[in-house]
Amino acid sequence: MKIAPSILSADYVNLQKDIEVVDKAGAEYLHIDVMDGSFVPALSYGPGWVKAIRPITNMVLDVHLMVQNPERYVELFAESGADIIGVHVEATPHIHRALQQIKNAGAKAEVVINPGTPVEMIKPVLYMVDQVLVMTVNPGFGGQKFLPETLKKIQQLDQLKQTEGYDFDIEVDGGVKDNTIKACKDAGATVAVAGSYIFDAADPAGQVATLKEATK
Ligand code: DX5
Ligand code: ZN
């Protein structure tokens, strides 16, 4: 399973150091949470951060847009160096267009669903995505508790991969720790985001190793 540390819980003053630590520890993705104060209550950071991070790591930059009408920004994030750009199906009435824009801009396209959104909502676009992000908490903040009812949706998506021949990655985000990651993997998730579990600890590299160990 690929591990995607979320810099939302990193030390912003020493961000480069935190990124190097998880990079060296073998994390494959770096998860960057963009919040607009509208789709979610909090504000975080914009494309300038992606641009600043791009030259300091070869990790896959996995940008999670928690913004209303994300199609306004996808080109900017792609130009800034994002490898994967995720848009919430709840945030736009034009999900096909938003995903197509991401692909046209040369990035991998991801569709994201909140815990309260059924898989049915994204069935029409599954053929065109590289990754599906199943939120395992309601987005907006780090450090929330994993919602186990989301596991059923992961299983459902994994089933659809088999029956329809899709090959997207399934990512989980929110409340991922050593005691929740295994259930995600067993349900079919292939990428796990973890913020507070990794960066709130004294030894972030050790936390990455523990997550990897828990899914062996
Ligand atoms: C929450 C963000 C997450 C967050 C996860 O809205 O999308 O990526 O950083 O934090 P933890 O791992 O602490 O739940
Ligand atoms: Zn996220």
Side-chain angles (χ1 to χ4, degrees):
M1 202 171 191
K2 287 171 272 198
I3 305 297
S6 166
I7 59 163
L8 192 64
S9 294
D11 175 2
Y12 296 165
V13 175
N14 297 293
L15 189 58
Q16 182 163 8
K17 186 185 129 268
D18 274 2
I19 291 172
E20 281 167 5
V21 165
V22 292
D23 196 348
K24 278 206 191 97
E28 291 87 351
Y29 287 13
L30 190 69
H31 188 79
I32 302 176
D33 287 302
V34 178
M35 304 179 178
D36 68 349
S38 172
F39 183 71
V40 291
L43 283 166
S44 61
Y45 21 78
W49 282 56
V50 176
K51 204 169 178 179
I53 291 168
R54 181 69 286 174
I56 66 164
T57 180
N58 289 321
M59 275 186 287
V60 172
L61 299 187
D62 178 35
V63 175
H64 175 192
L65 296 182
M66 283 163 273
V67 308
Q68 210 64 57
N69 300 115
E71 52 273 24
R72 294 176 293 165
Y73 301 110
V74 296
E75 278 87 8
L76 255 177
F77 280 96
E79 283 161 21
S80 303
D83 294 299
I84 303 174
I85 299 176
V87 288
H88 274 262
V89 71
E90 305 89 357
T92 173
H94 309 298
I95 191 64
H96 288 81
R97 185 183 295 157
L99 292 165
Q100 195 55 54
Q101 255 180 281
I102 298 171
K103 289 159 88 92
N104 292 348
K108 289 194 167 169
E110 175 189 74
V111 66
V112 190
I113 50 172
N114 279 335
T117 303
V119 166
E120 280 66 26
M121 283 289 288
I122 54 168
K123 271 191 180 167
V125 295
L126 288 179
Y127 76 93
M128 66 188 292
V129 298
D130 299 291
Q131 187 161 287
V132 176
L133 170 50
V134 177
M135 289 305 301
T136 43
V137 300
N138 283 283
F141 307 98
Q144 301 182 83
K145 200 170 170 295
F146 183 84
L147 297 169
E149 58 269 38
T150 56
L151 289 169
K152 270 201 216 107
K153 296 198 292 183
I154 301 166
Q155 281 164 357
Q156 212 182 328
L157 284 161
D158 189 49
Q159 272 292 317
L160 285 166
K161 281 172 71 170
Q162 287 162 37
T163 56
E164 305 295 320
Y166 301 137
D167 70 347
F168 49 76
D169 270 301
I170 302 176
E171 182 174 48
V172 287
D173 182 8
V176 172
K177 300 183 186 312
D178 53 353
N179 60 0
T180 50
I181 195 168
K182 178 74 165 57
C184 296
K185 189 199 175 195
D186 290 348
T190 52
V191 187
V193 176
S196 54
Y197 179 76
I198 292 176
F199 289 114
D200 286 358
D203 174 20
Q207 300 292 92
V208 172
T210 307
L211 290 177
K212 287 200 166 273
E213 191 59 38
T215 55
K216 261 195 181 146

